[in-house]
Amino acid sequence: MDSTAPTPQRTNPLGMIALAAQGLGKSALPLVAAMFGLRDEFSGIALVLVALAGVGGIMAVLAFLRWHRLTYVVGAEDIRVESGIISRAARSVPYERIQDVSLEQTLLPRLLGLVEVRFETGAGGKDELKLAYLTAEEGARLREVIRERREEEAVAGVAQEAGAEQDSPPIFAMGPGRLLRFGLFEFSLAAVAVMGGLAQQFDFILPFDIWDWEHWMELVAGPGDWIAHLGPWAQALGIMLALASLAVLGFATGIIRTFTREWGFRLDRTPKGFRRQRGLFTRTDVVMPAHRVQAVQVGTRFLRRRFGWHSLKFVSLAQDAGKASHVVAPFAKLAEIDPIIRAAGFEPESDTLDWHRAAPEYRTDSMVLVGGFFVLLALGLGIFVNPLLGFAPVALGMALVLGEQVSWQFLLHATDARQLYSRRGWLVPKSTIASRVKLHSAEISQGPLAQRRGYATLLLGLAGGTLALRGLPVERARALRAAVVESMTGTDFSELR
Amino acid sequence: MVDDEELTPLHPNHVKVLRVVTALATLPFVIVALVLEVRAFLFPGAFMVPVVLAALYVVLRIPLRRYHARGYQMGEDRLRVVKGLLFRSDTVVPFGRVQHIDVDQGPLERAYGLATLTVHTAGTHNASVTLPGLANETAMEMREAIRAHIRRDTM
């Protein structure tokens, strides 16, 4: 279509199928009600079919009406959507308020070659404008149109070679081999728990009572009887087999979940920002403008760190499936992460940084508080319950007090002319790099203990995330704040965007 | 450095507002004491005297201390807000990061000619920083001063 012609358009008619199917999924309750109401007239399969046809028919009519009544116009200054079956709602979103356009495909629309187009304005959640469903090409075209309109309104000029997006190699991608390794580290027994829960909920469906212990004993005593005769070795083997099957299930769950979520993971640095595509059944395609990245976070987990695997997230105001930060490299080596950090305009941690620790008083106070609690607990148990019981909390308390010492040793922060670095954790280190200019406020906060002992927490206002430097000596907190505020006042908020 | 400069105290009427609020908060305790007194479980004044004395101390003393712990500082390009007795907080918001500004007056504040200034930032922490106990005119002037710093195109 001609994008300048202000003719109202409809979404793709195939979308009706997806809408009706969605409606059917959501109307499980009316379906059950219909089946209940019709149970005298029909029975068995016929009942289910009639109820499905009835509710499905209503959904199809509703989907048609919704499709028929929803029109959109790609105008000169804004995009307008009119919708509503009985009432009419007309919404206009000016191009300069559209932060980004994201495309999402769930399973059924994906099979039909359709996308849901969302216009992110920063309004958040259900206030966002979305068009369901357009063809994938139309969605991509709409995104281009809107980006171009926005650029025309922003600083004109800056010739950018559009269309070169897919040709250049991605800055990060994960193939099946990488995904397999990632999946192994995502070991999860959630499936076992879900199966257990389902078995408990729906045990009335099963042909036998799974909680009937004697029944199980009989089963074991029957064909399993010979196992018992084989002696302890065979029993040990049985336990091993049970554990092995649990392990297989756990690994399989992790691998399947990872493959469905991360399949075809690809991160591109396009002229418009970072573009991330991933997903097997639900394919998502998100673009984050590079200048909107507020901070970067490098994290890891206990086991995968032994093998050098880390993850990278971008903190930004835009939401990513309900989470504030965007995962841009879920499973990567540090050597792969550093170039992505640089591409976002940040500098990775270097060896020349002047790392500072929190105040020793802060550590001492946390140790005293933790230790004191366990001493009281030990005294209470020892005096009122059993003297021997008193030893358990003492041991646990000593371990935790030592833990405070270790975590203090690994609680570090540093700053240079442009960035603020925060790092914590010994076995599972996590570090955040924030741009000093992109902070929004700085607060020095002190509790009653901190006031007397001369340390403070520096809380920094970060859009879409939190950044707190705990237990700094007051002088250090003041100096840091003065420096950071100096960077902030140099630039106006509007220049950040 | 910023932190060494004198803080501007809030309007003296803020103490009165705080006293009224504190008095309302102590009221339930006084009523309970009164009920116990009427039921006369002990000698006369056993409940009323200590509770009323404690309430008087709290109403007279605490608001004054809280008032002295609070203050603000309007800089060239930033606003600093200090508050808290037990839990002290000392916040700096550069004008260049202010998204929008509110000036609110509750009924009590209006009676004493006071207002509360609230500046909103885009940060998740300190998304809004409030400064209560300003004279209404001062709050208006501060709002205009901060607004003059915010660029037109970001409004």
Side-chain angles (χ1 to χ4, degrees):
Chain A
M1 83 162 196
D2 181 11
S3 63
T4 49
T7 44
Q9 303 187 46
R10 294 219 166 83
T11 54
N12 193 293
L14 275 179
M16 278 189 279
I17 300 173
L19 281 176
Q22 263 184 1
L24 205 59
K26 279 181 196 157
S27 59
L29 214 60
L31 201 63
V32 171
M35 275 158 74
F36 189 74
L38 293 168
R39 72 189 186 287
D40 292 336
E41 279 90 287
F42 304 94
S43 64
I45 301 291
L47 172 65
V48 175
L49 282 180
V50 167
L52 261 178
V55 178
I58 295 171
M59 286 304 143
V61 171
L62 280 180
F64 172 75
L65 285 175
R66 266 172 70 188
W67 170 79
H68 183 71
R69 300 281 285 172
L70 189 139
T71 56
Y72 66 96
V73 183
V74 183
E77 272 138 32
D78 59 357
I79 178 155
R80 276 179 222 183
V81 176
E82 291 194 33
S83 63
I85 296 171
I86 297 164
S87 59
R88 290 296 273 175
R91 177 174 287 178
S92 125
V93 182
Y95 290 128
E96 70 258 35
R97 283 289 171 271
I98 298 177
Q99 304 279 355
D100 197 30
V101 184
S102 67
L103 309 177
E104 190 174 310
Q105 289 181 299
T106 45
L107 183 57
L108 188 59
R110 190 150 180 231
L111 293 176
L112 296 168
L114 302 174
V115 286
E116 181 178 290
V117 183
R118 285 171 195 269
F119 301 92
E120 289 174 21
T121 57
K126 60 179 168 46
D127 290 334
E128 298 284 26
L129 187 70
K130 61 179 181 184
L131 285 174
Y133 291 90
L134 304 180
T135 56
E137 302 87 69
E138 173 71 1
R141 198 195 58 81
L142 208 56
R143 170 143 89 177
E144 282 310 306
V145 167
I146 283 162
R147 290 215 183 112
E148 273 155 26
R149 292 285 158 83
R150 255 173 39 128
E151 259 140 48
E152 281 166 23
E153 281 164 22
V155 195
V158 199
Q160 283 164 337
E161 61 274 39
E165 285 190 17
Q166 286 291 357
D167 303 338
S168 55
I171 57 171
F172 181 69
M174 295 198 295
R178 173 71 64 93
L179 284 180
L180 186 66
R181 263 188 270 179
F182 186 15
L184 288 176
F185 283 104
E186 292 280 287
F187 179 89
S188 160
L189 286 177
V192 178
V194 169
M195 296 289 270
L198 282 179
Q200 203 166 14
Q201 287 298 314
F202 297 103
D203 52 1
F204 60 90
I205 297 175
L206 296 175
F208 59 95
D209 184 0
I210 57 167
W211 308 115
D212 183 357
W213 182 241
E214 288 180 3
H215 180 67
W216 283 107
M217 289 296 276
E218 271 171 38
L219 274 181
V220 176
D225 198 27
W226 61 275
I227 296 179
H229 287 298
L230 289 178
W233 284 109
Q235 281 172 359
L237 189 73
I239 291 171
M240 296 267 286
L241 277 175
L243 285 178
S245 62
L246 263 187
V248 167
L249 196 61
F251 281 120
T253 313
I255 291 170
I256 290 169
R257 274 176 23 175
T258 307
F259 268 77
T260 49
R261 193 179 62 229
E262 312 284 1
W263 181 258
F265 190 101
R266 182 189 166 105
L267 183 76
D268 290 283
R269 180 71 175 91
T270 68
K272 280 137 197 164
F274 290 92
R275 177 172 185 204
R276 188 196 67 193
Q277 294 158 279
R278 68 169 179 185
L280 187 59
F281 300 121
T282 299
R283 186 111 184 121
T284 58
D285 182 352
V286 184
V287 176
M288 298 156 262
H291 56 88
R292 280 207 292 150
V293 179
Q294 308 282 325
V296 297
Q297 283 179 336
V298 181
T300 186
R301 299 254 181 92
F302 177 74
L303 203 59
R304 65 189 64 169
R305 179 170 177 245
R306 310 296 131 208
F307 298 89
W309 298 107
H310 295 261
S311 71
L312 177 69
K313 284 181 188 170
F314 284 170
V315 178
S316 83
L317 262 183
Q319 298 274 310
D320 180 19
K323 286 185 191 126
S325 46
H326 290 267
V327 182
V328 287
F331 193 68
K333 298 272 183 192
L334 282 180
E336 294 169 314
I337 284 177
D338 283 357
I340 309 178
I341 295 180
R342 288 205 182 87
F346 286 78
E347 196 56 44
E349 290 169 0
S350 63
D351 303 331
T352 54
L353 285 175
D354 181 18
W355 290 100
H356 287 256
R357 282 208 180 123
E361 290 88 354
Y362 173 66
R363 170 205 51 188
T364 315
D365 290 359
S366 352
M367 286 165 89
V368 167
L369 282 177
V370 169
F373 172 77
F374 280 95
V375 165
L376 284 180
L377 192 68
L379 282 178
L381 281 175
I383 293 171
F384 296 108
V385 187
N386 184 338
L388 281 178
L389 262 181
F391 287 106
V394 167
L396 184 61
M398 270 165 72
L400 288 178
V401 164
L402 271 179
E404 288 290 338
Q405 163 71 26
V406 173
S407 66
W408 175 77
Q409 274 179 324
F410 287 88
L411 184 68
L412 298 165
H413 68 271
T415 185
D416 58 20
R418 276 184 56 226
Q419 300 182 142
L420 205 57
Y421 305 80
S422 153
R423 177 183 254 273
R424 65 187 161 82
W426 167 41
L427 292 171
V428 187
K430 188 181 171 189
S431 62
T432 306
I433 305 173
S435 163
R436 280 167 52 158
V437 172
K438 286 179 181 173
L439 298 171
H440 295 271
S441 63
E443 173 183 346
I444 293 177
S445 135
Q446 289 180 291
L449 252 176
Q451 280 180 51
R452 272 160 198 76
R453 303 273 287 159
Y455 56 86
T457 296
L458 183 63
L459 294 154
L460 297 153
L462 182 68
T466 50
L467 182 58
L469 305 178
R470 300 195 183 280
L472 307 183
V474 172
E475 264 62 68
R476 172 81 182 150
R478 290 235 170 92
L480 258 182
R481 181 176 70 171
V484 165
V485 170
E486 217 48 61
S487 313
M488 281 192 256
T489 50
T491 334
D492 189 78
F493 182 78
S494 59
E495 290 158 30
L496 292 179
R497 312 186 124 246
Chain B
M1 211 167 76
V2 215
D3 302 16
D4 302 328
E5 287 166 29
E6 271 297 290
L7 288 174
T8 315
L10 299 177
H11 195 275
N13 276 355
H14 186 49
V15 184
K16 296 175 188 164
V17 172
L18 285 177
R19 281 202 175 126
V20 174
V21 173
T22 321
L24 288 174
T26 54
L27 205 59
F29 296 95
V30 176
I31 291 173
V32 167
L34 194 69
V35 170
L36 290 173
E37 188 76 31
V38 172
R39 290 298 182 110
F41 292 120
L42 280 172
F43 55 90
F47 294 101
M48 260 328 248
V49 171
V51 168
V52 167
L53 281 180
L56 269 179
Y57 174 81
V58 168
V59 169
L60 292 178
R61 187 92 185 108
I62 303 284
L64 202 63
R65 291 191 56 195
R66 285 175 71 187
Y67 170 78
H68 283 303
R70 290 181 181 185
Y72 68 94
Q73 208 180 75
M74 276 287 276
E76 275 292 297
D77 47 13
R78 67 195 73 173
L79 171 69
R80 178 176 171 217
V81 176
V82 179
K83 63 180 156 202
L85 269 175
L86 278 179
F87 294 90
R88 277 190 81 70
S89 84
D90 181 338
T91 311
V92 175
V93 182
F95 294 155
R97 296 292 180 278
V98 174
Q99 299 281 26
H100 55 276
I101 316 156
D102 291 335
V103 175
D104 298 318
Q105 274 193 311
L108 204 59
E109 286 180 312
R110 187 141 61 200
Y112 286 102
L114 298 182
T116 300
L117 180 83
T118 309
V119 294
H120 299 266
T121 73
T124 307
H125 179 76
N126 271 334
S128 56
V129 177
T130 56
L131 176 57
L134 296 168
N136 198 22
E137 308 81 66
T138 320
M140 297 291 191
E141 282 163 21
M142 284 168 73
R143 179 178 68 184
E144 293 314 311
I146 297 172
R147 215 172 62 180
H149 279 81
I150 304 177
R151 294 265 190 107
R152 274 271 167 272
D153 52 359
T154 57
M155 298 291 277

